[in-house]
C-alpha cells in the first residue's frame, strides 16, 4: 500500500466526516432551537395572540355583527346556537368539522398506533390547527373563521357547510372524503355576485398548525419534520428543519405540507397557489412536546360571481411512498403532484438507489410477512452478495501487495531518505507494473459501496413500516432503544444510551482495526510509520458516530451493525481462504510474462504515475539549479 492508497482511504474518511458535519445542526442552531419556548402554555398563549392579530395588509375583521353586515345571520351567535362538530369517517381517517368557521377542526388517522401503542394518531385538533379563508366584500373583509355554518348531507354523502348571508346569498363549503386519506372540498359563493367585490379574484388562506410530537425521539423526529411545498413547474423544497424560518416563495406552488416524520397534512389547490406565498416554520423546545409551529399564508383564484368554485384537496395520512402514489391517482386535478417526495430518499444519486432498488426489495420482503428485523438482515445479505465481487477484488488487490511486500522492501531499501521518496514511489510503481498489480485496486471498489451506506442512511429512518415494529430487544425499530435513561440532557449524548448505537460503534471500531491491520501488512518502509500516525483517524470515527447516532433509530443502527458484522466475516473468510504462497506463485508467473513487456498502467493509476514522473523531473531541475 503506497501513499496514493493512503490518500484514497483519507478521502473515504473525509467523505464520512463531511457527511456527518452537513447532517448535524450547528451549535447556534441548537441554542436557538432549545430556547424559544419553555412550556406548552406559553406556546398556546403565543398562538392565540397570533390568531387574534390580523395581517397588516387587511382591515381588522368585525367581530361584533350588526344588521348591515353581509353575513349578519352567520355572524350572530345567538341565532346560530352553540358550535357543533360534524364527523366524516372511513376505515382510515376520522375528520371533525366545526360549524364555527366551517372548516376541518381535527384529523385522526385510525390505523396507526400512538406512543402508548393505542390505535389512532391525532394528526391535529381544534386547539392546535386553524384554517381561515379571507374574502373581500364591497366594503370590508370577510373571515370565514368568524362565521357560523349549518351542516347538511348531500345525496352522494358529501358534507355541505353553509354560511347564510342577507337575502338568499350564502357561502358554501362542500367536503367529500375519499376511500382512504384524501379529502376533496370546494368553496363557492352562491347568490353573492352583487355583494362581493367584483375586482377581487383571489381568496386568502391563512393556515396554521402546531406539529405535535408523535414519536419517542423528539430531536430525531423534529429533524425529519419540515414545512414542504411543491413548485407548480415541478420539484419540491422545504424550510430549514432546525431554525426559525420565514420565506416568501416567489413562484407559484401546487401544494403546501405540514409534515411530521411519518405523517403529513397537505393542502392542494386545483388552480395552484399564487406566487408570494408566505411560509413560516418555528421549532420549539422539547418540553412543549410540540415539534414546530407551522404557518402558511396563501392566495388562489376565487370567482365572486359563483360560477366556478375554488377547488382543493387535502391529504391527511402517513408518509408511505407506495400509499401516497396510490392516493395521488385519486386526485381529480390531473397534476403530477409528486407527493411521494414527502418520503425523503436522499440526494439524487442516493434517491435513485433507494427509488429503483431498495424500495422494490423492501416491498417484496415486506409482502412475505417477515418481521422487520429479518427484512433488514435480508436486505443486508442481498447488498453484500451484490457487492461481494467488488469486495473480493479489493481484498485480493491488498493481498497481492501484502505478498509482494518483501520484494518491495528489497527494491526500495536504497530510497529511505526523505528526499528519495519520489524515487521510491517510482520504483514501487514499476514493480507493481511488472507484477500486474494495481495499487489503487484496494480502494476504489470500497468507494463504490459508500453510496449504498448513505442511501440506507436516508431510507431506514423514513420507512414508516418500521414504526412500532419490535425485534429482539428493540421495542420500536423507528426510534432509539435505551439501555439507560437518566432524565436530563447531557451535551452530545442526550438523556439516554442506545444499545444498538453502542453495538454499531463497537463493531465499527473492530472492523477498523481489522482493516488497518490488513493495510499495515502491506506497508513498505516509512509508509508503515505513516500509517500508524493516520490510524487514529480510523479509530476516532466510531466515537464520532456514537455522538451522531445515539439518538437515531434502532433500525438504522441495527442495519449498520449487521452490515459491519458481515463485512468483517467476509474479510476474515477471504483471509483464511487465501493461500499466500499460491498467490505469490501466480504473481511470479505474471512477472515473467511482463518482464520484457511491462503492463502499462491505465486510468487513475496511469495518471498518478505520470504525475509522479513530472514531479520527479521538476525536483531534479530544482536540484540542478542549486
Amino acid at each position: 500500500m503506497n501513499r496514493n492508497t493512503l490518500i484514497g482511504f483519507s478521502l473515504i474518511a473525509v467523505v464520512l466526516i463531511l457527511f456527518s458535519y452537513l447532517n448535524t445542526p450547528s451549535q447556534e442552531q441548537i441554542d436557538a432551537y432549545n430556547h424559544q419556548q419553555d412550556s406548552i402554555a406559553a406556546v398556546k398563549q403565543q398562538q392565540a395572540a397570533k390568531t387574534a392579530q390580523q395581517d397588516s395588509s387587511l382591515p381588522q375583521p368585525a367581530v361584533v355583527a350588526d344588521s348591515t353586515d353581509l353575513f349578519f345571520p352567520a355572524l350572530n351567535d345567538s341565532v346560530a346556537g352553540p358550535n357543533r362538530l360534524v364527523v366524516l369517517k372511513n376505515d382510515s381517517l376520522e375528520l371533525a368539522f366545526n360549524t364555527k368557521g366551517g372548516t376541518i377542526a381535527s384529523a385522526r388517522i385510525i390505523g396507526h398506533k400512538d406512543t402508548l401503542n393505542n390505535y389512532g394518531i391525532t394528526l391535529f385538533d381544534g386547539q392546535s390547527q386553524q384554517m381561515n379563508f379571507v374574502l373581500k366584500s364591497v366594503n370590508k373583509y370577510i373571515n370565514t373563521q368568524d362565521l357560523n355554518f349549518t351542516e347538511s348531507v348531500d345525496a352522494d354523502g358529501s358534507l355541505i357547510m353553509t354560511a347564510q348571508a342577507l337575502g338568499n346569498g350564502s357561502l358554501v363549503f362542500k367536503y367529500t372524503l375519499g376511500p382512504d386519506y384524501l379529502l376533496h372540498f370546494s368553496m363557492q359563493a352562491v347568490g353573492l355576485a352583487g355583494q362581493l367585490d367584483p375586482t377581487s379574484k383571489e381568496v386568502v388562506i391563512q393556515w396554521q398548525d402546531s406539529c405535535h410530537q408523535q414519536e419517542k425521539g423528539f430531536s430525531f423526529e423534529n429533524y425529519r419534520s419540515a414545512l414542504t411545498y411543491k413548485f407548480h413547474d415541478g420539484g419540491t423544497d422545504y424550510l430549514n428543519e432546525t431554525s426559525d424560518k420565514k420565506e416568501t416563495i416567489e413562484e407559484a406552488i401546487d401544494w403546501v405540507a405540514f409534515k411530521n416524520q411519518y405523517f403529513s397534512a397537505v393542502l392542494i389547490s386545483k388552480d395552484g397557489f399564487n406566487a408570494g406565498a408566505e411560509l413560516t416554520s418555528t421549532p420549539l423546545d422539547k418540553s412543549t412536546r410540540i415539534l414546530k409551529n407551522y404557518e402558511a399564508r396563501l392566495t388562489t383564484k376565487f370567482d365572486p360571481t359563483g360560477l366556478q368554485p375554488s377547488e382543493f384537496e387535502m391529504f391527511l395520512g402517513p408518509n408511505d411512498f407506495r400509499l401516497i402514489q396510490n392516493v395521488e391517482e385519486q386526485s381529480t386535478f390531473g397534476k403530477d403532484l409528486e407527493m411521494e417526495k414527502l418520503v425523503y430518499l436522499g440526494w439524487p444519486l442516493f434517491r435513485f438507489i433507494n427509488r429503483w432498488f431498495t424500495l422494490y426489495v423492501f416491498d417484496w420482503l415486506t409482502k412475505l410477512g417477515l418481521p422487520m428485523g429479518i427484512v433488514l438482515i435480508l436486505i443486508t445479505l442481498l447488498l453484500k452478495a451484490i457487492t461481494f465481487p467488488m469486495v473480493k477484488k479489493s481484498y485480493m488487490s491488498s493481498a497481492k501487495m501484502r505478498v509482494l511486500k518483501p520484494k518491495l522492501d528489497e527494491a526500495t531499501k536504497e530510497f529511505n531518505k526523505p528526499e528519495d521518496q519520489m524515487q521510491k514511489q517510482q520504483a514501487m510503481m514499476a514493480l507493481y507494473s511488472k507484477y500486474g498489480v494495481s495499487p489503487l485496486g484496494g480502494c476504489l471498489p470500497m468507494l463504490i459501496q459508500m453510496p449504498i451506506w448513505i442511501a440506507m442512511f436516508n431510507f431506514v429512518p423514513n420507512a414508516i413500516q418500521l414504526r412500532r415494529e419490535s425485534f429482539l430487544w428493540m421495542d420500536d425499530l423507528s426510534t432509539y432503544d435505551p439501555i439507560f435513561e437518566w432524565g436530563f440532557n447531557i451535551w452530545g449524548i442526550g438523556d439516554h444510551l442506545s444499545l444498538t448505537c453502542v453495538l454499531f460503534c463497537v463493531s465499527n471500531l473492530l472492523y477498523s482495526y481489522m482493516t488497518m491491520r490488513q493495510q499495515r501488512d502491506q506497508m513498505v518502509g516509512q509508509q508503515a510509520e505513516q500509517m500508524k500516525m493516520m490510524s487514529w483517524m480510523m479509530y476516532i470515527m466510531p466515537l464520532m458516530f456514537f455522538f451522531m447516532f445515539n439518538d437515531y433509530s434502532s433500525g438504522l443502527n441495527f442495519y449498520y451493525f449487521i452490515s459491519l458484522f458481515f463485512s468483517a466475516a467476509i474479510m476474515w473468510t477471504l483471509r483464511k481462504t487465501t493461500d499466500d504462497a499460491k498467490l505469490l506463485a501466480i504473481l511470479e508467473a505474471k512477472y515473467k510474462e511482463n518482464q520484457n513487456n511491462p503492463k502499462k498502467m491505465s486510468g487513475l493509476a496511469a495518471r498518478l504515475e505520470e504525475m509522479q514522473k513530472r514531479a520527479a523531473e521538476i525536483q531534479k531541475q530544482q536540484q540542478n539549479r542549486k
Side-chain angles (χ1 to χ4, degrees):
M1 178 70 71
N2 58 19
R3 183 179 300 172
N4 298 322
T5 308
L6 295 178
I7 292 173
F9 255 93
S10 299
L11 289 174
I12 296 175
V14 169
V15 169
L16 289 174
I17 292 170
L18 286 176
F19 186 80
S20 301
Y21 175 79
L22 291 174
N23 283 273
T24 304
S26 66
Q27 185 60 46
E28 289 80 10
Q29 290 174 326
I30 295 173
D31 292 340
Y33 174 87
N34 289 332
H35 294 92
Q36 293 186 51
Q37 300 229 4
D38 294 323
S39 65
I40 297 177
V43 173
K44 290 183 177 179
Q45 186 177 17
Q46 182 187 41
Q47 182 179 346
K50 288 183 178 180
T51 302
Q53 181 182 6
Q54 298 299 313
D55 189 276
S56 60
S57 64
L58 301 177
Q60 293 293 329
V63 177
V64 179
D66 61 61
S67 59
T68 64
D69 284 328
L70 173 60
F71 280 93
F72 173 71
L75 287 167
N76 196 328
D77 290 340
S78 61
V79 174
N83 303 338
R84 299 178 303 281
L85 293 179
V86 184
V87 175
L88 284 180
K89 183 179 180 180
N90 58 24
D91 293 336
S92 304
L93 192 61
E94 180 180 307
L95 304 176
F97 299 84
N98 199 330
T99 57
K100 183 70 171 183
T103 57
I104 185 170
S106 65
R108 182 172 175 267
I109 300 172
I110 296 173
H112 291 265
K113 295 181 180 180
D114 60 15
T115 54
L116 300 177
N117 272 336
N118 297 318
Y119 277 99
I121 291 287
T122 300
L123 186 59
F124 55 75
D125 54 34
Q127 294 181 339
S128 66
Q129 187 268 167
Q130 289 183 344
M131 184 177 292
N132 179 42
F133 294 81
V134 183
L135 303 172
K136 188 177 181 182
S137 68
V138 174
N139 56 5
K140 65 170 54 180
Y141 285 89
I142 301 164
N143 291 267
T144 59
Q145 65 184 6
D146 299 328
L147 305 181
N148 292 292
F149 288 74
T150 57
E151 76 277 9
S152 61
V153 178
D154 205 355
D156 61 358
S158 300
L159 172 65
I160 308 297
M161 302 288 278
T162 304
Q164 192 64 44
L166 292 174
N168 294 323
S170 62
L171 184 66
V172 178
F173 288 115
K174 180 178 180 180
Y175 298 97
T176 305
L177 183 59
D180 37 46
Y181 299 101
L182 194 64
L183 174 71
H184 309 264
F185 74 97
S186 64
M187 179 180 68
Q188 186 172 15
V190 178
L192 299 174
Q195 302 179 72
L196 295 179
D197 186 348
T199 64
S200 178
K201 305 292 186 179
E202 295 179 344
V203 58
V204 177
I205 305 169
Q206 298 168 336
W207 185 28
Q208 61 184 37
D209 181 28
S210 294
C211 180
H212 287 274
Q213 178 183 355
Q214 304 287 359
E215 314 304 325
K216 181 168 66 174
F218 182 91
S219 299
F220 190 69
E221 181 184 6
N222 203 348
Y223 190 65
R224 281 154 184 79
S225 302
L227 193 157
T228 307
Y229 53 94
K230 188 252 178 185
F231 295 107
H232 179 72
D233 294 331
T236 62
D237 203 350
Y238 56 90
L239 301 190
N240 187 283
E241 309 97 326
T242 59
S243 63
D244 192 338
K245 194 72 174 177
K246 182 175 182 178
E247 289 188 10
T248 299
I249 311 304
E250 302 299 338
E251 302 176 44
I253 57 179
D254 282 335
W255 52 257
V256 172
F258 291 171
K259 176 181 178 294
N260 286 57
Q261 180 181 3
Y262 290 121
F263 303 95
S264 290
V266 186
L267 178 62
I268 310 161
S269 171
K270 180 179 181 178
D271 297 312
F273 298 112
N274 300 331
E278 297 176 2
L279 307 178
T280 305
S281 174
T282 306
L284 302 180
D285 186 77
K286 182 178 180 180
S287 62
T288 67
R289 295 188 62 81
I290 297 175
L291 304 172
K292 295 177 174 73
N293 274 339
Y294 292 140
E295 296 182 24
R297 185 183 184 279
L298 313 162
T299 60
T300 190
K301 291 181 181 179
F302 176 74
D303 182 6
T305 67
L307 297 177
Q308 293 292 331
S310 297
E311 296 187 55
F312 306 91
E313 292 174 337
M314 287 192 77
F315 170 75
L316 302 154
N319 299 327
D320 183 324
F321 192 94
R322 298 301 187 196
L323 181 145
I324 291 177
Q325 284 185 318
N326 293 332
V327 169
E328 279 197 19
E329 295 179 359
Q330 302 170 21
S331 174
T332 60
F333 295 165
K335 297 181 178 182
D336 181 9
L337 295 175
E338 300 182 57
M339 283 198 303
E340 69 274 6
K341 290 186 178 179
L342 290 170
V343 183
Y344 184 69
L345 298 178
W347 296 342
L349 172 61
F350 314 127
R351 180 177 180 82
F352 181 84
I353 295 173
N354 285 326
R355 174 67 180 85
W356 300 108
F357 173 77
T358 313
L359 266 173
Y360 283 96
V361 174
F362 190 79
D363 291 343
W364 173 59
L365 293 174
T366 301
K367 289 178 182 178
L368 297 178
L370 301 172
M372 285 300 159
I374 299 297
V375 170
L376 290 176
I377 293 174
L378 292 177
I379 289 178
T380 307
L381 288 173
L382 179 59
L383 291 173
K384 291 301 177 186
I386 293 173
T387 58
F388 178 75
M390 293 182 291
V391 173
K392 185 176 181 180
K393 180 179 179 181
S394 172
Y395 176 82
M396 294 308 297
S397 180
S398 299
K400 290 174 182 178
M401 289 186 284
R402 182 181 69 243
V403 298
L404 287 176
K405 183 177 181 297
K407 297 184 179 294
L408 288 171
D409 288 335
E410 180 66 24
T412 61
K413 63 181 180 181
E414 59 181 304
F415 303 118
N416 283 330
K417 295 180 181 180
E419 61 270 21
D420 296 335
Q421 291 306 302
M422 189 64 66
Q423 292 91 327
K424 183 175 183 177
Q425 290 292 328
Q426 291 177 338
M428 291 173 60
M429 295 296 285
L431 192 63
Y432 284 143
S433 178
K434 291 179 180 179
Y435 279 94
V437 175
S438 172
L440 295 178
C443 297
L444 295 181
M446 299 303 294
L447 287 175
I448 296 175
Q449 297 184 79
M450 192 64 64
I452 296 175
W453 267 57
I454 300 177
M456 294 300 291
F457 175 85
N458 289 294
F459 178 82
V460 175
N462 293 296
I464 193 173
Q465 291 83 356
L466 299 180
R467 187 178 183 270
R468 302 293 183 266
E469 291 292 327
S470 61
F471 184 68
L472 299 178
W473 68 89
M474 295 165 281
D475 295 330
D476 185 350
L477 288 169
S478 70
T479 188
Y480 59 83
D481 56 323
I483 47 175
F484 296 111
E485 293 184 276
W486 42 82
F488 58 91
N489 187 68
I490 298 178
W491 183 87
I493 299 178
D495 58 2
H496 64 274
L497 184 65
S498 174
L499 177 56
T500 50
C501 179
V502 173
L503 291 174
F504 162 45
C505 294
V506 171
S507 62
N508 196 5
L509 183 64
L510 294 176
Y511 181 73
S512 298
Y513 172 76
M514 293 177 63
T515 303
M516 297 302 293
R517 186 177 64 175
Q518 175 179 309
Q519 301 304 317
R520 284 197 302 267
D521 289 343
Q522 63 194 47
M523 294 291 112
V524 177
Q526 292 183 351
Q527 288 183 336
E529 296 300 321
Q530 294 172 355
M531 194 65 179
K532 290 179 181 179
M533 297 177 62
M534 293 185 61
S535 61
W536 66 269
M537 182 181 297
M538 300 299 294
Y539 294 141
I540 203 172
M541 284 175 62
L543 180 62
M544 293 172 55
F545 283 147
F546 170 77
F547 291 107
M548 179 180 175
F549 283 81
N550 188 49
D551 206 36
Y552 275 41
S553 68
S554 57
L556 181 63
N557 282 319
F558 180 71
Y559 165 77
Y560 282 150
F561 165 65
I562 293 298
S563 179
L564 286 168
F565 173 81
F566 284 120
S567 294
I570 291 171
M571 184 181 293
W572 182 85
T573 302
L574 288 173
R575 182 68 181 91
K576 290 296 183 181
T577 56
T578 300
D579 188 331
D580 287 0
K582 185 177 179 180
L583 180 60
L584 181 59
I586 295 173
L587 292 175
E588 291 289 0
K590 191 73 173 178
Y591 175 78
K592 291 179 181 179
E593 180 183 341
N594 294 334
Q595 191 170 15
N596 298 319
N597 184 25
K599 181 181 178 182
K600 293 183 178 180
M601 292 289 182
S602 60
L604 182 59
R607 290 193 291 271
L608 289 174
E609 184 179 28
E610 182 63 25
M611 289 172 61
Q612 288 176 350
K613 290 180 179 179
R614 292 180 181 178
E617 291 175 0
I618 293 173
Q619 184 178 12
K620 185 176 180 180
Q621 291 174 1
Q622 290 175 345
Q623 291 175 350
N624 292 335
R625 291 174 184 174
K626 294 179 181 179

